[in-house]
Amino acid sequence: MDFDSSCKNKKTANESMLICCMLFISEARNRAALDLIEQAARIDSESVIVNKFEDRVYNRIRFTIVSYVVVDSTGSPIYSPLHQTVLAIVEAAYGAINLELHSGAHPRLGVVDDIAFHPLAEASLDEAAWLAKAVAADIGSRFQVPVFLYAAAHPTGRAPDTIRRELGYYRPNFMGSQWAGWNTPEILPENPDHGPNHVSRTRGVTLIGARSWVTLYNIPIMCTDVSTARRIARMVSARGGGLPTVQSLALFHGDDSAEIACMLLEPNRIGPDRVQAQVEMLAAQEGLDVEKGYFTDLSPEMIVQKYMNLISAGRD
């Protein structure tokens, strides 16, 4: 999708209309690859990296990038610097990472595994969805990678975990708790929203969506038994009859511990304290110790403040 270059000169852009992009890439061990990807993320000073989260055991990194969105006189979105920034990151990632050589303790479907757009400040979910769909169309056509849309970016609002289950995302294929190489059929069981229905084994599949803010909160437990960790995760999640609006996954994180990786879909309704207490209760029933959980990102308010500070510092 092409945008009028004059949009870039619209310094009347309302900087309270912000979009946050969380971009998850399947790599955290190859420093040269990560440096190339981060260089690409910094090509436009109006797209700001406000946070990163790297985990070498999971072999996964998440970039949190923020910029503004411009709307026309009717209120329709027409431009955001994030569009080209995300494409530059994706291109760098495909050039630096080979999924067939990747392994880690976190599930993934592709080199660029997930791109989630969230509205911040005065931006709306409609604007985040517009950007998600524009980016998805370009990734599918330019890089010939299958792209599946989810949440507000998809006409039915389908959930990402529905797509992942259909594609075998949650099934480890190495040592019982690891994911290695490409481990699903090269011809997809259903057509993607963009791109081909056959998969490059070196690039995999990408999910792209737009949704309201979700909180990612991981809780370490001292456990080495796969079935026990998974049982606890299942009993925490809404799907398993646990806490409403909570999704959870048991992942091994080192030789003697696991993590209950939680996504809080409505953090103002069910927050981290409630999830922490639930995991502690279930782990105690198994005779297991639990450590204090941790957030993998800043809060929306902190992200907005950091973005404003970095933009201001860049202009001084």
Side-chain angles (χ1 to χ4, degrees), residues 98-116:
N98 182 340
L99 189 65
E100 286 199 292
L101 304 179
H102 178 273
S103 65
H106 195 290
R108 76 290 185 275
L109 289 170
V111 166
V112 181
D113 192 52
D114 184 14
I115 305 175

Side-chain angles (χ1 to χ4, degrees), residues 122-289:
E122 296 178 16
S124 72
L125 192 55
D126 286 343
E127 287 137 11
W130 163 81
L131 185 53
K133 289 184 280 190
V135 168
D138 281 351
I139 290 176
S141 62
R142 183 182 302 186
F143 303 110
Q144 287 298 292
V145 168
V147 178
F148 290 88
L149 296 172
Y150 66 83
H154 189 268
T156 69
R158 65 182 173 184
D161 56 308
T162 300
I163 304 166
R164 287 168 174 156
R165 284 190 174 86
E166 292 173 351
L167 298 179
Y169 176 87
Y170 297 106
R171 294 194 296 269
N173 67 331
F174 182 61
M175 298 176 61
S177 61
Q178 300 276 322
W179 285 259
W182 174 253
N183 64 334
T184 59
E186 292 183 37
I187 301 298
L188 294 168
E190 65 172 286
N191 290 330
D193 297 287
H194 296 284
N197 70 347
H198 61 274
V199 183
S200 160
R201 298 177 66 89
T202 62
R203 294 182 174 183
V205 170
T206 296
L207 270 61
I208 300 180
R211 66 197 321 178
S212 299
W213 191 262
V214 299
T215 294
L216 304 179
Y217 185 72
N218 293 352
I219 304 174
I221 61 173
M222 301 302 103
C223 178
T224 58
D225 180 67
V226 174
S227 60
T228 300
R230 289 175 180 164
R231 183 165 60 251
I232 292 172
R234 184 169 58 252
M235 295 173 70
V236 170
S237 71
R239 180 179 173 86
L243 298 173
T245 72
V246 173
Q247 296 177 350
S248 57
L249 181 65
L251 300 172
F252 277 86
H253 199 258
D255 295 333
D256 59 356
S257 67
E259 288 190 338
I260 308 300
C262 300
M263 179 180 290
L264 314 185
L265 301 179
E266 296 181 32
N268 292 330
R269 179 183 174 191
I270 303 291
D273 291 344
R274 181 102 173 262
V275 176
Q276 180 81 34
Q278 185 80 351
V279 171
E280 289 177 357
M281 180 192 72
L282 294 169
Q285 294 172 1
E286 303 282 353
L288 299 172
D289 292 329

Side-chain angles (χ1 to χ4, degrees), residues 7 9-17 68-71 79:
C7 290
N9 298 319
K10 288 185 177 179
K11 293 306 178 185
T12 57
N14 185 353
E15 290 191 353
S16 66
M17 297 183 65
Y68 60 85
V69 59
V70 177
V71 299
Y79 172 74

Side-chain angles (χ1 to χ4, degrees), residues 53 55 58 216-220 253 259 292-296:
F53 180 76
D55 193 301
Y58 293 154
L216 304 179
Y217 185 72
N218 293 352
I219 304 174
H253 199 258
E259 288 190 338
K292 178 66 176 174
Y294 62 94
F295 299 98
T296 68

